[in-house]
Amino acid sequence: MATYPKEMQESIVQVEATRPQRMKARFPRLSLAEQEALLRGFHPDYKEGGKRPLQVGPSQGELVPHEVADLLEAYPLLDPREVDLSKVDYDVDVLVIGGGGAGTVAALWACEAGIPADRILIATKLRHGDSNSMMAQGGIQAADKPHDSPAIHYLDVIGGGHFAGDPKLVRALVQDGPMIIRWHEALGVMYDKGPDGTMITIHGGGTSRKRMHSAKDYTGMEIMRVLRDEARSRGIPVLEFSPAVELLTDVHGQVAGAVLWNLETEEYLIVRAKATVLATGGWGRLHIQGFPTTNHYGATADGLVLAYRVGAKLRDLDSVQYHPTGAAYPEQLVGLLITEKVRGLDAQPVNRDGELFVHPLEPRDVESAAFIRECMPLEQGGRGRGVVTPTGMVGVWLDTPMVDMIHGKGTFQRALSSIWRMYVRFDIDPTREPILVYPSLHYQNGGVAIDENGWTGIPGLFAGGEVEGGVHGKNRLMGNSLLDYNVFGRRAGLAAAAWAKDARVGRLTLAHVKRYVEQLKAAAVPKERRAPLLLPDYRGERVLARMVDLL
Amino acid sequence: MLTVYIMGKGYRVPEGLTIMKAMEYAGYRLVRGCGCRGGYCGACATVYRLPGDYRLYADLACQTTVQDGMYIAQLPSTPAERADYQLSQVAPRGEALLALYPELARCVACNTCTRSCPQKLEVMDAVQAALRGDIRQVAELTFDCVQCGLCAMRCPAEIAHYHVWQLARRLCGAYLTPRAQHLARRVAEVESGAFDAELDRLMGMGKDELAKAYQARDIEP
Ligand SMILES: Cc1cc2nc3c(=O)[nH]c(=O)nc-3n(C[C@H](O)[C@H](O)[C@H](O)COP(=O)(O)OP(=O)(O)OC[C@H]3O[C@@H](n4cnc5c(N)ncnc54)[C@H](O)[C@@H]3O)c2cc1C
Ligand code: FES
């Protein structure tokens, strides 16, 4: 089992030695200029050679990570000439692509707006609810306390995102926040509350008010499973294991549904829809710059690929969010998220020598850059004070025993039960020993450009959740993406319902794909590049080397 | 290296992998049985036996380390019917759970559910609480349930536990817990436009002015 090896234990002694004095210490926050310098020096986004400008498509010239460019500049999985569009398998008013949080919310509000449940279809890649939404731990922001306000929330979002967010989207986010939490309350989400019903709220990185609402450290799971249950109560149909591989347009150029692919039977299916909502989530499984990820198995940026081929613009994809605290030990947990709530509950990040080296709750990108600097060897410009594990991973300590010392015995196990369980399985008790962390690829800050109603600018196509961009500028704060998927999932669902009421769909085509293929050819994009990715491939090298397709 | 038997076939895999990663190492490209990969979604329910041990173990493939000689089979899905209800039409009274899921009464208190729970929840206690009509206790005992279905697959009384728990938690959240008054007030304020002027002002600010306002925020201790 995995208690700490000797070298790591020696460092823990240092951590324990400095703890009494750190319990009293307050590390100063960095000025904007200091933050900027740290980001430039150590954040992977600033690393040379990590990105390239797109050569084709509506956002030509935009810088994106190579891993993303390789998918956007790629040929379709299905040859458009081999798809028979005259036989429609599902004919609906609203098609929702993606059965995570945003998709489920969009479907619920389309239903609320008067679209009958059986005229809606959710098509999703894995099971309904298998998504990043299910994994969120820490919480959801909303400015509902008396000393807080949507305006204060606005400043936090816009500043945290380095002033790059779209003001209209930020406003929609903060303004709808309280209403969303109230909707959840009515649906039966078990938020953490005081005896009189007052929400228990804490800080998150970059918040100026304690507005993080939580449901223990299973916030995402609790919200997602309630939304899913409500969708089941309403009888909204869901096609599981049926990812969208292409959007469809009609002869007038509006989006009119999608081609799905049944992952198990390997047949394609045609869905004709008057309105389509894209809710496919993010990109963690692209492992940008080789980072491990916190994301679910299906987070492969498919939505970006589909939307781009149909002419939608993308934005802010040059900025990648690495969560400062991904697990770095034991090996089995590497990459998995250690919620920011642990730092919200006063655990401090400390280096090999037990020294606190950064304020625990700087904005995520700044905090991650500080961790990377601490771990990077001296000869590469870092401080070389990380802790090295037996498998060669490096990380900094998160001093988790502080949580119970400050907030009382039992707090950790109650408020952070998923983290506690995760470590105890591997014989590490985070209430007694610190845990080792290192940044992990976490969130797609940018995405498909939308307006405040979730409209992509392409007739008939709406988007909500992590797949869209503009809400968080260049850096999302914790708790704002659960809010994002609710606010923009809802707005996209309502807008799609309104559009579907008047829309008429003409003959279906894949003309946009054929046009895109011409552009790819003109740009001499290598033939073997195919997208969307659908699922990452983790099969062992030995097997891959000998694999043949015989059946 | 050690040997694991995936659905009866032996494969050599490195030590220290989770069951999920060991299957991938062996050459499986997972479609079913893999969702979050982090212990939150319950997609990876797995049963296994160990050599020389008659017991059947149940756990999450993404959270369990392989052992030498392990016999592994994943459950691709749990067939279990969810009762048809609208939350607004279920009265949060003690009988509600039993009325919708009468098979709860078939519990023989064998405790197999508790033993098969990868989250180590007190599942049978929750069944007993449900029988007593203590919805709040059911909700609290089952809050950490990832709905993997392993208890339901092993239960001799054929209870679909996780569906019952879902209903109990929603009833608890919606009806047995006081609503937040500050929240209701804030929603009304937003609707009445109380923050519009200030938001308009912020939206009209240039970057420098915004940056100044941002730096000058007072931060709640
Ligand atoms: C570990 C973790 C912790 C987090 N913690 C927090 C937190 O504390 N607070 C916070 O605010 N945010 C948090 N986040 C971020 C937040 O959870 C997500 O950004 C948000 O839930 C995204 O919602 P979504 O509906 O847009 O995407 P998802 O929930 O990921 O849903 C997308 C769905 O689309 C499906 N899909 C993908 N491609 C296709 C396709 N081609 N066809 C059909 N379906 C497809 C996916 O399988 C998935 O079901 C966390 C994220 C992670 C990973
Ligand atoms: S894959 Fe989600 S719990 Fe294992």
Side-chain angles (χ1 to χ4, degrees), chain A residues 429-512:
Chain A
D429 180 351
T431 65
R432 291 160 175 272
E433 301 156 299
I435 60 180
L436 200 72
V437 294
Y438 191 75
S440 183
L441 174 52
H442 190 52
Y443 187 74
Q444 177 184 299
N445 289 314
V448 179
I450 54 164
D451 71 5
E452 66 272 31
N453 295 312
W455 184 44
T456 62
I458 308 292
L461 184 64
F462 306 83
E466 196 167 337
V467 69
E468 35 81 357
V471 183
H472 313 286
K474 302 284 185 199
N475 176 52
R476 175 201 46 120
L477 303 184
M478 170 194 169
N480 280 341
S481 53
L482 288 181
L483 184 58
D484 175 339
Y485 92 57
N486 279 280
V487 167
F488 292 99
R490 172 177 170 275
R491 285 175 174 243
L494 292 173
W499 173 270
K501 280 180 189 153
D502 303 321
R504 291 210 169 162
V505 174
R507 194 170 52 78
L508 298 178
T509 87
L510 282 166
H512 60 286

Side-chain angles (χ1 to χ4, degrees), chain A residues 119-180:
Chain A
R119 301 288 306 156
I120 301 172
L121 178 66
I122 299 178
T124 195
K125 181 153 49 184
L126 302 165
R127 303 175 313 164
H128 188 189
D130 290 350
S131 61
N132 283 356
S133 299
M134 194 60 104
M135 307 182 74
Q137 302 169 6
I140 177 167
Q141 292 199 39
D144 59 20
K145 289 287 175 80
H147 59 292
D148 195 0
S149 83
I152 303 176
H153 192 180
Y154 182 99
L155 263 185
D156 287 350
V157 177
I158 212 105
H162 306 305
F163 308 98
D166 176 340
K168 288 198 293 299
L169 302 185
V170 179
R171 181 186 190 138
L173 182 83
V174 299
Q175 195 163 284
D176 286 3
M179 176 267 293
I180 289 293

Side-chain angles (χ1 to χ4, degrees), chain B residues 20 34-44 60 62:
Chain B
M20 180 172 285
C34 178
C36 67
R37 304 178 71 93
Y40 291 89
C41 75
C44 63
L60 300 174
C62 72

Side-chain angles (χ1 to χ4, degrees), chain B residues 4-206:
Chain B
V4 293
Y5 298 89
I6 301 170
M7 293 181 280
K9 275 163 82 180
Y11 294 91
R12 299 285 290 165
V13 301
E15 271 174 60
L17 296 182
T18 58
I19 293 177
M20 180 172 285
K21 288 183 183 169
M23 287 181 69
E24 289 173 331
Y25 180 89
Y28 284 80
R29 187 164 191 183
L30 302 174
V31 174
R32 293 262 170 188
C34 178
C36 67
R37 304 178 71 93
Y40 291 89
C41 75
C44 63
T46 299
V47 290
Y48 65 89
R49 275 196 166 88
L50 296 170
D53 183 350
Y54 65 87
R55 272 173 293 224
L56 182 65
Y57 296 91
D59 217 327
L60 300 174
C62 72
Q63 299 292 298
T64 309
T65 310
V66 282
Q67 297 174 52
D68 197 26
M70 205 177 208
Y71 299 91
I72 300 165
Q74 279 203 295
L75 301 180
S77 128
T78 312
E81 208 174 358
R82 171 187 174 278
D84 194 13
Y85 57 82
Q86 302 295 323
L87 190 73
S88 56
Q89 284 157 26
V90 183
R93 281 196 299 269
E95 320 78 84
L97 302 179
L98 198 55
L100 284 166
Y101 294 101
E103 59 278 12
L104 279 167
R106 303 181 63 223
C107 174
V108 293
C110 68
N111 213 30
T112 308
C113 51
T114 304
R115 270 184 279 120
S116 55
C117 178
Q119 296 287 85
K120 305 237 179 338
L121 304 181
E122 294 298 337
V123 188
M124 195 187 77
D125 290 357
V127 175
Q128 297 302 322
L131 287 170
R132 285 196 311 275
D134 189 343
I135 295 175
R136 171 177 297 282
Q137 174 142 46
V138 176
E140 281 166 5
L141 284 171
T142 67
F143 188 82
D144 294 3
C145 169
V146 295
Q147 312 191 321
C148 65
L150 280 164
C151 53
M153 292 300 270
R154 302 230 50 210
C155 175
E158 291 149 318
I159 297 167
H161 308 68
Y162 60 98
H163 285 319
V164 187
W165 309 159
Q166 180 63 68
L167 174 60
R169 286 189 305 267
R170 288 190 69 187
L171 289 170
C172 183
Y175 303 121
L176 304 180
T177 313
R179 298 283 168 97
Q181 296 305 317
H182 59 91
L183 178 59
R185 274 196 298 278
R186 179 52 48 82
V187 173
E189 285 168 0
V190 172
E191 278 169 3
S192 72
F195 304 102
D196 288 354
E198 216 183 335
L199 286 167
D200 287 341
R201 194 173 61 80
L202 288 169
M203 284 176 72
M205 283 185 181

Side-chain angles (χ1 to χ4, degrees), chain A residues 35-48 51 162 289 291 318-324 363-370 372-373 376 439 445 474-475:
Chain A
Q35 290 190 355
E36 180 74 23
L38 190 55
L39 290 174
R40 289 202 174 281
F42 297 95
H43 195 280
D45 277 356
Y46 293 86
K47 194 165 164 183
E48 216 136 303
K51 293 175 220 172
H162 306 305
Q289 292 196 26
F291 273 80
D318 56 334
S319 78
V320 182
Q321 182 165 90
Y322 300 89
H323 195 292
R364 284 198 172 151
D365 47 356
V366 177
E367 191 83 10
S368 290
I372 292 171
R373 177 179 62 183
M376 197 182 275
N445 289 314
K474 302 284 185 199
N475 176 52

